[in-house]
Amino acid sequence: MMIKTLIIAEAGVNHNGSLDMALELVDQAHACGADIIKFQTFKAGKLLTDKVEKAGYQKASTDRNESQYEMIKKLELSDEAHRILHRRCRELGIDVAQLGTAQPEWCFDGADEVNARNWLIKGRGGALFKEKIVFRSAKKRFIVVDASKRVEKLGTHFAVPIEVFPGALPLVQTELAALGARSVEIRSGEGKDGPTITESGNLILDTRFAEIDEGLEKAINSITGVIENGLFI
């Protein structure tokens, strides 16, 4: 059976915060035959504070006196701008859908660790919740790793990342200890003041367990305040 290959145009934030440029990206994606165009959507105020400094590589290529918040804020599009982009995509026949209404035929991704049972630890990049939505939504899933990611025991090299609602942090830490967590560390933002903030505005706890069994993924997610974790069992 032949499966149609979908062409996805990665627009990201290449519009530089300009609606006109974003519309031009949609037009160019259509001209190139793209089926889908992907933009990064966010509210800067939900991702970081105005005191967060830029990372070193960002200072090297942008205004050193500008905070990371100020830089990201410039790339933000308004809700109305997104509605206009949505209409342009519809007019051109480019799909606009959420995973709640559209199921990917397949997805592929990497992993941080894989054991002999093909259990995974993923999430070092920080997009835990949305990453797992894509993974669980796809009808077929492919994981691409090299030999360095194969381990006999999950947790050999990496802690289990857990995305947590900030207001529930003390509760979650207590409950993780009850599940056998040996250490629980709030992930700090590299080159930032303060912790890593996910795309959904949550914290990440890097958590080490003595043993990772078949029920741990669900047990972690049953804790009130946990959004998602990086185990794929």
Side-chain angles (χ1 to χ4, degrees), residues 83-98:
R83 284 190 283 270
I84 293 171
L85 286 172
H86 186 283
R87 287 197 294 270
R88 179 65 65 86
C89 288
R90 287 295 192 196
E91 291 168 359
L92 297 176
I94 296 177
D95 281 344
V96 179
Q98 298 292 327

Side-chain angles (χ1 to χ4, degrees), residues 127-193:
L128 290 183
F129 183 45
K130 293 184 179 180
E131 189 174 78
K132 190 165 280 192
I133 289 174
V134 173
F135 189 85
R136 297 300 191 201
S137 297
K139 296 177 182 177
K140 293 184 178 181
R141 307 148 188 164
F142 302 91
I143 299 297
V144 182
V145 297
D146 61 23
S148 69
K149 304 299 178 69
R150 303 291 301 190
V151 295
E152 291 185 11
K153 180 179 178 181
L154 282 188
T156 298
H157 303 301
F158 294 103
V160 177
I162 302 172
E163 186 167 345
V164 175
F165 176 69
L169 181 59
L171 169 62
V172 172
Q173 290 172 316
T174 299
E175 294 295 320
L176 288 173
L179 284 179
R182 294 185 303 174
S183 66
V184 181
E185 297 181 1
I186 300 174
R187 186 181 297 178
S188 61
E190 184 178 353
K192 300 179 181 179
D193 293 330

Side-chain angles (χ1 to χ4, degrees), residues 171-220:
L171 169 62
V172 172
Q173 290 172 316
T174 299
E175 294 295 320
L176 288 173
L179 284 179
R182 294 185 303 174
S183 66
V184 181
E185 297 181 1
I186 300 174
R187 186 181 297 178
S188 61
E190 184 178 353
K192 300 179 181 179
D193 293 330
T196 294
I197 305 298
T198 71
E199 294 174 328
S200 301
N202 300 309
L203 300 175
I204 293 179
L205 301 182
D206 288 318
T207 309
R208 291 194 174 274
F209 294 89
E211 294 292 334
I212 295 176
D213 60 28
E214 191 167 359
L216 186 58
E217 179 184 0
K218 291 183 179 179
I220 293 171

